[in-house]
Amino acid sequence: MWRLKVADGGNNPYIYSTNNFVGRQTWEFDPDYGTSEERAEIEAARQNFWKNRYQVPASSDLLWRMQKNFKQTIPQVKVGDDEKIKKETAIIAMRRGAHFFSALQVFCLYITRHLDTIFPGEFRKEILRYLYCHQNEDGGWGLHMEGHSIMFRTTLNYICMRILGEGFDGGKGNACARGRKWIRDRGGVTFIPSWGKTWLSILGLFDWSGCNPMPPEFWFFRSFLPLHPGKLWSYIRVVYMPMSYLYGKRFVGPITPLILELREELFLQPYSEISWKKVRHLCAKEDLYYPHPLIQDLIWDSLYICTKPLFTRCPFKKLRQKALEVTMKHIHYEDENSRYITIGCVEKVLCMLPRWVEGPNGDYFKKHLARIPDFI
């Protein structure tokens, strides 16, 4: 049975806190925890959620509430359409939200060969359970649990299931077969948007030449320039920071037998025959929330034509190496400022992977590993 641990730093020497871990909440699996009645109650809740997953896709943190005997004691407030919001009303709503607070991608751990250590059997079972429960009726997955199916999320979830041990046609309710059909019916993964192309390139399921440029030299820009990274929204900045490092390195994870299988499953044509430069701008219509303006594609094409050959030759090759060093310093600042938690689950694994590339056995990477339970 799963047990919630609060304000517990454990005994890991690579984790530290400035407030004695106040606010930290992690889950651990204890096969002997709870009574037989409590376990039966949890299993009944799981079955009930599965039966009603399309009508009520949110779990409402039911397991947490059952363990904490949660009862909302703060009275609800309602504001009419024409009514002015008062300070007291906002404070009550905020307290209710704090009182009722609310999957880490496994790709990074697969590449670094730490998947079995961080995600043993029970953890894998729960990740897969989450994916099964939130698969849409058409076989795909949405950007969020109530969203329409999109290529980005469907592809990542399909790969996640295969990495976690599901076979070609495995998964509850034929999850893998249904997900794969959704992908292939829409042209295959060449139509995945830019972030997806980046992750697939890292995994070895895409070629970096099929991605639009993310030059790490961007981090040389001075603060007075309009395109200085410090003027970007924080989430975008911290996503593209490690992405640009991995792009500049052209890093590719180990090509395992599973990766070779996925190359056959996710594309409509043989992997070796794909013209990567022609797929850079492809995007499934389900993922295209706003079409690219012509000027954006012209900028991408100009950078693609100029930077790729330029930074692979001297003396600009040395400039690329310097840019990678500067980018790594920014990643280090982000890691230290956030105690290796970063600002979100997407940024977490992206910042962790460059630290492994830099030193697989280094302390920085181990500090990242120690903080993965914060996201589970």
Side-chain angles (χ1 to χ4, degrees):
M1 182 172 167
W2 290 94
R3 174 167 55 186
L4 181 65
K5 300 173 70 175
V6 179
D8 186 346
N11 299 316
N12 194 319
Y14 293 101
I15 189 172
Y16 61 97
S17 170
T18 58
N19 66 347
N20 201 27
F21 299 100
V22 171
R24 187 179 196 235
Q25 302 181 36
T26 58
W27 290 92
E28 70 171 7
F29 184 79
D30 184 348
D32 300 320
Y33 183 64
T35 64
S36 57
E37 291 79 9
E38 288 173 331
R39 294 181 196 137
E41 185 181 2
I42 288 174
E43 185 58 33
R46 286 171 174 162
Q47 295 302 322
N48 184 64
F49 180 81
W50 172 259
K51 292 177 183 177
N52 298 282
R53 64 191 185 280
Y54 295 132
Q55 290 73 38
V56 186
S59 68
S60 303
D61 292 320
L62 189 56
L63 181 58
W64 175 85
R65 291 161 61 195
M66 292 169 70
Q67 287 204 13
K68 293 298 179 182
N69 294 316
F70 175 83
K71 291 182 180 180
Q72 181 60 271
T73 58
I74 302 174
Q76 186 179 12
V77 292
K78 294 183 178 181
V79 180
D81 292 338
D82 300 324
E83 184 180 350
K84 185 178 180 181
I85 300 176
K86 300 178 182 178
K87 179 180 179 181
E88 294 77 10
T89 304
I91 291 175
I92 292 173
M94 180 189 68
R95 285 176 177 169
R96 281 180 58 88
H99 197 47
F100 185 71
F101 69 91
S102 356
L104 180 69
Q105 295 181 37
V106 300
F107 297 174
C108 183
L109 297 175
Y110 179 75
I111 292 170
T112 62
R113 306 295 176 90
H114 285 77
L115 187 62
D116 294 333
T117 304
I118 303 300
F119 289 152
E122 291 298 328
F123 285 87
R124 294 188 184 208
K125 185 186 298 184
E126 295 302 328
I127 294 172
L128 288 170
R129 191 197 312 277
Y130 178 88
L131 296 180
Y132 302 151
C133 286
H134 294 296
Q135 187 173 22
N136 291 334
E137 293 182 81
D138 62 3
W141 283 267
L143 187 61
H144 54 86
M145 64 180 65
E146 297 190 49
H148 68 275
S149 298
I150 61 174
M151 183 67 73
F152 179 64
R153 181 80 184 278
T154 302
T155 299
L156 298 191
N157 284 355
Y158 178 83
I159 296 171
C160 183
M161 288 192 298
R162 298 286 277 118
I163 288 176
L164 291 176
E166 291 293 3
F168 182 77
D169 289 325
K172 189 172 183 178
N174 297 318
C176 285
R178 292 167 59 215
R180 183 173 60 254
K181 183 178 185 303
W182 193 98
I183 294 168
R184 295 179 66 87
D185 285 350
R186 288 155 181 80
V189 295
T190 52
F191 284 86
I192 198 170
S194 60
W195 284 14
K197 285 178 169 65
T198 299
W199 266 115
L200 295 186
S201 298
I202 292 169
L203 280 167
L205 293 172
F206 219 81
D207 193 279
W208 279 111
S209 60
C211 298
N212 281 318
M214 294 175 284
E217 289 74 21
F218 181 63
W219 302 95
F220 280 145
F221 285 9
R222 311 310 299 173
S223 59
F224 63 84
L225 294 173
L227 292 178
H228 183 262
K231 298 176 182 179
L232 293 175
W233 183 40
S234 60
Y235 281 95
I236 299 298
R237 182 175 67 251
V238 181
V239 164
Y240 279 107
M241 183 169 61
M243 276 188 177
S244 68
Y245 179 87
L246 296 167
Y247 172 85
K249 279 274 190 180
R250 294 297 197 276
F251 171 79
V252 178
I255 306 301
T256 64
L258 176 59
I259 295 299
L260 296 177
E261 291 177 19
L262 288 170
R263 285 181 177 181
E264 296 181 3
E265 296 169 19
L266 297 173
F267 294 92
L268 299 189
Q269 62 187 113
Y271 187 83
S272 59
E273 297 178 8
I274 298 172
S275 177
W276 296 107
K277 65 180 181 180
K278 294 181 179 179
V279 305
R280 288 185 300 114
H281 298 314
L282 294 183
C283 182
K285 62 182 178 61
E286 292 84 358
D287 297 64
L288 193 61
Y289 287 88
Y290 191 84
H292 290 179
L294 178 61
I295 185 64
Q296 181 179 351
D297 288 340
L298 288 174
I299 292 173
W300 285 131
D301 291 342
S302 300
L303 287 172
Y304 184 84
I305 294 170
C306 297
T307 61
K308 184 179 178 181
L310 188 66
F311 289 107
T312 56
R313 296 179 175 86
C314 289
F316 295 101
K317 190 175 182 179
K318 294 182 178 179
L319 183 64
R320 168 57 57 87
Q321 184 57 41
K322 181 63 177 177
L324 291 172
E325 294 173 3
V326 170
T327 306
M328 181 55 75
K329 286 182 180 180
H330 284 290
I331 296 173
H332 179 72
Y333 297 153
E334 172 62 26
D335 288 345
E336 289 292 320
N337 287 337
S338 65
R339 310 293 185 266
Y340 291 83
I341 298 175
T342 72
I343 60 174
C345 57
V346 174
E347 294 80 3
K348 165 67 177 177
V349 289
L350 281 169
C351 286
M352 180 165 66
L353 188 54
R355 307 318 291 260
W356 181 80
V357 174
E358 181 190 38
N361 298 312
D363 287 351
Y364 296 135
F365 176 65
K366 292 176 181 178
K367 289 178 180 179
H368 263 295
L369 286 178
R371 280 297 190 174
I372 288 180
D374 294 66
F375 291 87
I376 298 173

